[in-house]
């Protein structure tokens, strides 16, 4: 890392109007960063301030200890040269800063450095202390830092991170312990000094509430958590069974969220790392909790709406009618396909066989539905009631219900696809035989091979038969695959909605809308014009994170808990699905193959 | 597109600002768009007064005004500026016609270098400034590129002037001096 020669002095806006005094703050001499935190008003000596600072910072481990930096003067007139007296102390300090301004000065204060810094160029950066204290820097590196459990090393930190760190490390020592300063008869001027006590009571009550909530939650989790977590996480088969339907999966997901909310604070074992990542954990917890709350509110609203207009009975009867109609239409379609569909000349024997096979299946299916009919309204009612567990649970129950109702379509699809796939495999192997080649199973490659005349004859015959039967099976395959795809599109729409409901970062968005200062996405500099004999003066502002980044980060944070979930995974692309469809491989609702290791 | 280039220098070469402002001579400038929208809006309003069902022209006018606002607020760029601060970093600001500003600050610790790059498009060669971002693992190799002034595309002469200024401010005050062609 390059070492710069320019000394950058950070000075809070709120201190510009303060009376004469001593500048306190912290510095990073390697980066040449000096951060003024406050001004201790006179009369007081450097020694009292030093002992006070030593006492306050006792027992606190910070990277940047608060020290005395220099003097602050505020004269009455423009040409008050008496204030420019060199007050560089003879002992103790290598570096000393002197800043001065005068009353009603529109320009930024002037700054002079002494000691080892005397020959370096100076740059003043004015900052808004309240905003910097509130701001939590949201950047990508921080997120990965949590994931890997590593802290960023000091060398790789940018100066901006460093500034945020400096301001926040001073917070504990100086800004939040105002009562100590009165004992020493010191009057520290900083942005926090004007806050009244009602604010403190408010934060105290909030933290008490928070503590109580945590206690109650942790008791609940300890009671239910140990048993369920053990059974869910340790035994894989049970977990699979529970996660097979979308509802179970969603419930497990929600449970994990609750569990995370209560245990996230234990994740980081290092104190320093915890300090750095606590804001992100807080936001993450808030996101999880808010998504659960919003989910449940929406679910209850939908449930009330359904029950108020007595929709479950109506829906049940309509669904039954619809299913009956679909069954009748399926029978008609099969009858049409058993003839000469669209003028296609099919193999009539195979066509009749397949048609009868599927017709029998439809018949079985209709019988099953008649058994189901009396329970239909109860099932729909139950699904409606599940709204109080959240809209996502409601939707995933709908998904399961849909896949149960369309089970026959799934069966048809599987039969047709298997048949088609088998025929294609037979055709391809016969085509190889046709060319005098064969598939070597041991070496996983195509070898050339010497065939007898009999083998060649039988193979060619088989090839011809398979080729001429292909259109018949292909027709059935195409028809049932299209049915299956319609169902799949419906289900994936529902699944997408569930995923959005579960991963939508409501809390982050709310924070961004209400208090955009908290989610700091970066900083913004602007130049303040001053007299030409003064050092360059910039002002630094906290820039809120853009909405797109807020949405993306909040979402990503939650997606890592979704990785274990294989039902809602949308990993397969359109191209791979098309390829599978052509080859006759099964297209599952969850996109097929498991990820290769 | 025509543009006007200005550069400001601050105290002791510690800071420099390069501003490229879109000149209001072109066909798609702000006043023409606003004037057109207003005129069409008035015509539609008049239409709504004389016709029996006046809701459709009003709706069209509202959509038109909304589109105009969106265009000026999100798409039409007023100026692009680059603030170079010695030993701190560079800040690229895009100002839209309505005054909305978008900032991008790149700290100096993640800048590998700033160079002029050229690209061949369908029918011409364009030049632009590019910030080379350091790779986190291997600091000697640039990892990614951030092109600057992509809305205004200043000419090569202006870019050369900017380049000299940026190199002077960024690396001259540094202990190690970059020597790049």
């Amino acid at each position: 890392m390059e070492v710069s020669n320019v000394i950058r002095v950070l000075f809070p806006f709120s201190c510009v109007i303060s009376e004469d005094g001593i500048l306190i703050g912290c510095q990073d001499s390697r980066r040449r960063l000096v951060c003024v935190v406050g001004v201790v008003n006179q009369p007081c000596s450097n020694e009292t301030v030093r002992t006070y600072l030593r006492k306050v910072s006792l027992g606190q481990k910070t990277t940047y200890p608060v020290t005395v930096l220099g003097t602050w003067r505020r004269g009455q007139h423009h040409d008050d040269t008496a204030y420019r007296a060199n007050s560089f102390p003879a002992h103790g300090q290598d570096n000393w800063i002197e800043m001065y301004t005068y009353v009603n000065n529109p320009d930024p204060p002037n700054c002079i450095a002494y000691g080892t810094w005397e020959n370096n160029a100076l740059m003043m950066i004015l900052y808004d202390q309240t905003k910097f204290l509130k701001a939590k820097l949201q950047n990508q590196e921080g997120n990965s830092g949590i994931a890997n459990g590593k802290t960023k090393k000091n060398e790789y930190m940018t100066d901006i991170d460093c500034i945020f760190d400096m301001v926040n490390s001073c917070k504990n020592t100086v800004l939040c312990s105002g009562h100590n300063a009165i004992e020493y008869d010191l009057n520290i001027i900083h942005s926090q000094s004007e806050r009244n006590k009602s604010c403190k009571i408010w934060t105290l009550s909030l933290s008490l509430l928070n503590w109580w909530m945590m206690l109650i939650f942790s008791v609940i989790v300890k009671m239910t958590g140990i048993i369920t977590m053990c059974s869910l996480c340790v035994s894989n088969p049970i977990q699979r069974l529970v996660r097979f339907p979308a509802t179970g999966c969603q419930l497990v997901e929600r449970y994990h969220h609750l569990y995370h909310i209560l245990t996230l604070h234990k994740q980081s074992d290092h104190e320093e790392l915890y300090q750095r990542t606590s804001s992100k954990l807080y936001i993450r917890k808030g996101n999880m909790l808010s998504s659960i709350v919003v989910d449940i509110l929406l679910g209850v609203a939908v449930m009330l709406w359904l029950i108020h207009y007595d929709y479950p009975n109506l829906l049940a009867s309509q669904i039954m009618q619809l299913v009956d109609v679909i069954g009748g239409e399926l029978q008609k379609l099969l009858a049409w396909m058993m003839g000469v569909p669209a003028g296609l000349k099919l193999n009539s024997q195979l066509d009749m066989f397949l048609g009868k096979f599927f017709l029998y299946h439809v018949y079985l299916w209709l019988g099953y539905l008649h058994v189901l009919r009396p329970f239909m309204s109860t099932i729909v009612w139950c699904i409606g009631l599940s709204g109080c567990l959240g809209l996502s649970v409601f939707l995933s129950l709908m998904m399961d219900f849909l896949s149960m109702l369309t089970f026959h379509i799934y069966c048809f699809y599987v039969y047709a696809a298997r048949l088609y796939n088998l025929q294609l495999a037979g055709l391809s192997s016969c085509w190889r035989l046709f060319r005098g080649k064969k598939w070597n199973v041991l070496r996983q490659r195509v070898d050339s091979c010497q065939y007898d005349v009999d083998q060649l004859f039988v193979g060619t015959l088989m090839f011809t038969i398979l080729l001429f039967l292909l259109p018949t099976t292909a027709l059935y395959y195409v028809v049932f695959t299209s049915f299956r795809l319609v169902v799949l599109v419906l289900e994936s729409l529902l699944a997408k909605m569930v995923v959005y409901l579960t991963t939508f970062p409501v809390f982050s968005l709310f924070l961004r809308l209400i208090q955009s200062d908290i989610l700091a996405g970066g900083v913004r500099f602007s130049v303040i014009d001053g007299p030409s004999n003064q050092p360059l003066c910039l002002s630094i502002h906290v820039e809120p994170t853009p909405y797109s980044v807020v949405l993306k980060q909040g979402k990503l944070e939650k997606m890592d808990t979704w990785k274990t979930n294989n039902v809602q995974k949308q990993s397969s692309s359109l191209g791979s699905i098309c390829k599978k469809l052509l080859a006759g491989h099964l297209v599952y609702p969850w996109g097929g193959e498991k990820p290769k290791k | 597109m025509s543009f006007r280039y200005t550069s400001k220098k601050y105290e002791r070469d510690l800071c420099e600002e390069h501003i490229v402002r879109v000149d209001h001579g072109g066909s798609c400038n702000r006043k023409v768009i606003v004037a057109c929208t207003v005129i069409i809006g008035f015509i539609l309003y008049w239409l709504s007064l004389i016709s029996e069902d006046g809701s459709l022209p009003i709706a069209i006018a509202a959509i038109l005004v909304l589109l105009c606002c969106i265009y000026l607020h999100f798409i039409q760029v007023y100026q692009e500026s680059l603030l170079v601060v010695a030993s701190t970093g560079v800040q690229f600001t895009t100002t839209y016609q309505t005054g909305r500003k978008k900032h991008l600050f790149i700290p100096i610790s993640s800048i590998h270098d700033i160079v002029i790059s050229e690209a061949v498009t369908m029918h011409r060669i364009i030049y632009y400034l590019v910030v080379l971002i350091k790779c986190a693992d291997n600091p000697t190799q640039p990892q990614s590129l951030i092109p600057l002034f992509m809305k205004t595309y200043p000419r090569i002469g202006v870019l050369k002037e900017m380049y000299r200024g940026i190199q002077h401010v960024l690396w001259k005050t540094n202990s190690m001096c970059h020597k790049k062609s």
Side-chain angles (χ1 to χ4, degrees), chain B residues 45-59:
Chain B
Y45 181 66
W46 177 69
L47 272 179
S48 78
L49 286 182
I50 60 165
S51 66
E52 285 170 13
D53 184 22
S55 58
L56 184 69
I58 285 287

Side-chain angles (χ1 to χ4, degrees), chain A residues 232-402:
Chain A
L232 285 178
C233 291
V234 176
S235 57
N236 211 16
I238 294 176
Q239 195 188 2
R240 269 197 193 167
L241 196 72
V242 169
R243 284 192 161 198
F244 182 68
T247 320
C249 191
Q250 185 59 28
L251 284 174
V252 169
E253 200 53 45
R254 279 299 183 210
Y255 180 75
H256 275 296
H257 278 175
L258 265 179
Y259 193 78
H260 266 284
I261 290 169
L262 301 165
T263 51
L264 264 183
H265 62 283
K266 291 170 196 159
Q267 264 188 4
S268 45
D269 31 4
H270 300 293
E271 186 65 23
E272 193 193 0
L273 175 67
Y274 175 66
Q275 287 224 331
R276 199 163 286 162
T277 56
S278 62
S279 69
K280 269 161 207 142
L281 291 183
Y282 166 72
I283 286 168
R284 199 171 157 189
K285 266 189 203 177
N287 271 335
M288 285 178 179
L289 201 65
S290 64
S291 91
I292 290 176
V293 167
V294 166
D295 192 12
I296 285 176
L297 281 180
L298 280 176
V300 167
V302 167
M303 183 188 76
L304 286 179
W305 177 70
L306 276 180
I307 288 171
H308 184 254
Y309 294 103
D310 199 26
Y311 276 127
N313 286 324
L314 194 76
L315 268 180
S317 59
Q318 288 212 337
I319 287 172
M320 282 319 286
Q321 272 180 9
L322 192 73
V323 167
D324 277 346
V325 167
I326 288 174
E329 288 295 318
L330 262 179
Q331 278 174 337
K332 272 187 203 164
L333 180 80
L334 283 169
W336 177 68
M337 274 160 65
M338 280 159 74
V340 189
L344 285 174
K345 209 168 184 182
L346 301 173
N347 182 294
S348 61
Q349 279 80 17
L350 183 67
D351 195 25
M352 287 302 267
F353 168 73
L354 283 177
K356 275 185 181 161
F357 174 72
F358 284 122
L359 266 182
Y360 181 64
H361 220 283
V362 171
Y363 168 73
L364 272 186
W365 178 251
L366 285 177
Y368 165 75
L369 281 184
H370 280 290
V371 173
L372 206 69
R373 188 180 287 271
F375 310 109
M376 203 62 176
S377 63
T378 329
I379 292 172
V380 176
W381 187 261
C382 285
I383 291 177
L385 274 187
S386 75
C388 32
L389 285 174
L391 189 62
S392 61
V393 177
F394 174 77
L395 286 178
S396 35
L397 258 177
M398 288 244 294
M399 230 164 84
D400 285 340
F401 188 59
L402 185 70

